[in-house]
Amino acid sequence: MTTRLVSRARIGAVSVLALLLAGCGIRATEVPTNFGPAPSRVRCSLAEPDVSTQAARGLPVQVFLLCGSSLVTVDRTVRVPDGAADSARRMLVAQGLLNQLAAPPSPAEKEAGYSTDVRGGITVGGPRAGDPEDTLRLSTAPDSLTSYALAQIVCTFSDSAAAEGDGSVVLGGPGSGSPRRYACTDEVRARPGSKEPPSKDAAGE
């Protein structure tokens, strides 16, 4: 008799606990969980930027940063003097994009999981004799960059005023080697660490 009373008391206590949890919006579970404190920001998600404020600081652009295992765009600005000739403007935009890629993510971006593999100090110049006119020559050879950094640069350039707007960009290095035309594809954006931007020799284009 005593055993039955104890069992019924235990069942009643469990039922009350389940009702209390349901009332608090918490689903009862048989598996213990301990995920730590809830994140304060959704991963790879940022608040909408103030475009009007950005425009006042410079030319609005987008650059590709790393988040998780993929590339995602974030809004930035680059400064381009009024009246700059088209060729000079293109170089200024390209250098500004490189600088933004190399800059450490903001505290909000770090909190959301953003990072960059592009290192500071890379400069960009125009084509040499024999190069396609839209060539961008980097001070670091593209094939010496990590696959992540190359994907960031290719996708950022190909989607900007620094390129021709066809989803590709012609990049060369500081040496005498021929530049190559790189494309930013869905596969590259999804898996920059294992899928390098496809490219082909751009000599003679």
Side-chain angles (χ1 to χ4, degrees), residues 32-147:
T33 57
N34 182 19
F35 295 111
S40 58
R41 185 182 296 276
V42 178
R43 186 169 178 82
C44 301
S45 177
L46 292 169
E48 289 295 323
D50 186 346
V51 177
S52 61
T53 302
Q54 284 192 342
R57 296 197 301 265
L59 177 69
V61 296
Q62 286 190 321
V63 300
F64 281 83
L65 296 184
L66 300 166
C67 195
S69 59
S70 61
L71 294 179
V72 292
T73 56
V74 297
D75 294 294
R76 291 283 194 273
T77 59
V78 297
R79 292 194 174 278
V80 180
D82 294 335
D86 287 346
S87 58
R89 177 185 177 86
R90 184 165 168 267
M91 290 300 106
L92 289 169
V93 170
Q95 187 62 59
L97 291 171
L98 275 178
N99 294 344
Q100 290 295 331
L101 284 171
S106 69
E109 289 166 349
K110 286 182 179 179
E111 186 180 354
Y114 290 72
S115 64
T116 183
D117 217 44
V118 178
R119 299 295 173 253
I122 302 176
T123 58
V124 60
R128 297 178 179 175
D131 288 348
E133 63 179 8
D134 59 341
T135 299
L136 296 172
R137 287 222 172 234
L138 305 178
S139 59
T140 298
D143 60 8
S144 70
L145 298 169
T146 67
S147 60

Side-chain angles (χ1 to χ4, degrees), residues 104-194:
S106 69
E109 289 166 349
K110 286 182 179 179
E111 186 180 354
Y114 290 72
S115 64
T116 183
D117 217 44
V118 178
R119 299 295 173 253
I122 302 176
T123 58
V124 60
R128 297 178 179 175
D131 288 348
E133 63 179 8
D134 59 341
T135 299
L136 296 172
R137 287 222 172 234
L138 305 178
S139 59
T140 298
D143 60 8
S144 70
L145 298 169
T146 67
S147 60
Y148 290 105
L150 181 60
Q152 284 184 259
I153 292 172
V154 167
C155 289
T156 296
F157 279 172
S158 65
D159 194 36
S160 75
E164 296 297 315
D166 63 352
S168 69
V169 62
V170 179
L171 297 178
S176 58
S178 297
R180 300 186 66 82
R181 183 173 292 277
Y182 294 85
C184 178
T185 64
D186 291 339
E187 291 80 7
V188 171
R189 288 190 289 269
R191 300 189 303 276
S194 58

